[in-house]
Amino acid sequence: MLNISKVETFYGNIQALRGVDIKVNNGEIVALIGSNGAGKSTLLMTISGVNKAAKGTINFDNKNIENLPPHEIVNLGISQVPEGRRIFSRLTVEDNLRLGASSNNKGKNFDEDSKEVYDLFPVLRDRLTQRGGTLSGGEQQMLAIGRAMMARPKMLLLDEPSLGIAPKLVNQIFISIKNINKEKGVTVFLVEQNAKKALELADRGYVLVNGNINLEGSGKDLLNNPDVQSAYLEGGKK
Amino acid sequence: MEYFLQQLINGLTLGSVYGLIAIGYTMVYGIIGMINFAHGDIFMVGAFVALISFILFALTSIALPIVLLLTLLIAMVFTACYGWTVEKLAYKPLRKSFRLAPLISALGMSIVLQNYVQAAQGARIKTLQPVIQGGFNFFEDSNFTVTLSYLQIFIVIVTIVLMAIFTLFITRTALGRAQRACEQDRTMTALMGINVDRTISMTFIIGSSLASVAGMMFVMYYGVIDFYIGFLAGIKAFTAAVLGGIGSIPGAMLGGLLIGLIETFWSGYISIEYKDIAAFSTLVIVLIFFPTGFLGKPDIEKV
Ligand SMILES: Nc1ncnc2c1ncn2[C@@H]1O[C@H](COP(=O)(O)OP(=O)(O)OP(=O)(O)O)[C@@H](O)[C@H]1O
Ligand SMILES: [Mg+2]
């Protein structure tokens, strides 16, 4: 479904991605783990067209998307929940959700689709008229995921959804990611520092080190891999 | 008392004109974080388009209300094209450039527009015969008669109607929502599947059409214009936008009214010669004591 091949991305002279190859198949949950500064967010922004790939190709549903502007990529069915959530804090929760629906039949399916989002995250229904910035961190993350779902994506890119969120809510968010994949059939590409949780959830995983893919395998294999354990699991929560 | 009332009426009329221009400054600032230095000249172009339209309609026998409506539409459409062109030429190609670059090119556009109008229309002032005459007189038996002209009523009513439509547009429509989103986070707005470039263009188009209405009011109210009127009116409207809190739309409306009132009261009670200084002293005082303006946005960012 998504085929990333030899992608290189630069910030000025700094090379953040050094020839990344990743494949995500329809219906999968694929996790990407890596330490700070490895290039995870850069990769997601390159897929979404916000950063331009200097070299390599990105193919989605048999269409090359590496030269498309971000809004066209969203229209093809890839939505991103970016690092730090990036809620429109001065706009209401409802406005945030309506913005998410922009690419989806020009927002005409709002009533129907918002119900599905409230089923996933009931708290959002009670917060509709509240400004996004007044939500708690966990609620903002739910809003960010709900907002992305309003586009009816085929594929969801998630950048560290557990970052800065209370452990209890992290579980809830991982459960909803699983639901989104299993029940709504949305393919998920998940970037996480919380390697254990991500690999437990994922069908397959990749390890990104310094802009290179270092390892790949099934979620289970990576969890049991000694290198992964020492680099990403030992120090973290078991 | 009568004199005061007269200044109040005049000030509100003038303030309507400034408010309509100020919205364009504040919207563009909100969305791209830059002052559109060509906006005053866009207002001037609007005044010229309206003038030409009035002169052409004067040759026909079309009824006045229809002439007013058609002139309004013609001014808005033509001027919007100019505003759109300014964005395409001066801002869009430089969006990823260093911050000062688009400001310089916008100053360039301002000079281009002035010279273009000067070359095409001549440097001398242009006059327009009064289009709407008459009005109401109050306190006729006291020693100062207060006049509320039909033209003033027209200006204030058109301004109120436009601002109401505009407010609904910003708060209720998808495009208005996209504009508010762009003001906060352009990248995230693009990740919503929204064409950010088009949203920015629309902002220039809307700001320009409101400025053109101000231009039409201006030429009707004063009856004389030249290619240079955009400079002073532009700076005053910009002051209005800062006064209200740059980026805030209700602020621009309020700021416009305040600047209009300050200017007329200063002329009426202190000295007409220094009326322009009044507006600018206000700008300086506001910048010192209320740097975010009266309705500047307090951020409620939460991490
Ligand atoms: N806007 C930028 N300008 C210059 N360099 C950048 C920029 N954004 C990221 N980088 C650099 O690119 C590299 C990859 O950054 P990136 O944000 O993709 O890492 P990451 O894996 O997402 O890290 P984290 O886990 O901290 O989010 C880093 O070395 C970073 O310093
Ligand atoms: Mg990151």
Side-chain angles (χ1 to χ4, degrees), chain B residues 120-139:
Chain B
Q121 303 295 330
R124 280 188 302 158
I125 58 165
K126 300 278 173 294
T127 55
L128 177 70
Q129 297 307 310
V131 180
I132 300 178
Q133 280 170 303
F136 300 105
N137 289 327
F138 304 96
F139 307 109

Side-chain angles (χ1 to χ4, degrees), chain A residues 11 14 16 34-43 83 159-160 193:
Chain A
Y11 294 104
I14 304 167
S35 47
N36 287 107
K40 306 181 296 296
S41 301
T42 305
L43 179 62
E83 187 173 350
D159 197 344
E160 305 205 29
Q193 298 243 1

Side-chain angles (χ1 to χ4, degrees), chain A residues 86 89-90 95 98 133 147, chain B residues 177 184-185 188 299 301:
Chain A
R86 293 175 86 159
S89 59
R90 289 197 294 262
D95 275 339
R98 284 192 185 276
R147 180 177 68 175
Chain B
R177 196 178 302 119
Q184 257 198 279
D185 188 339
M188 198 59 231
D299 266 326
E301 235 78 25

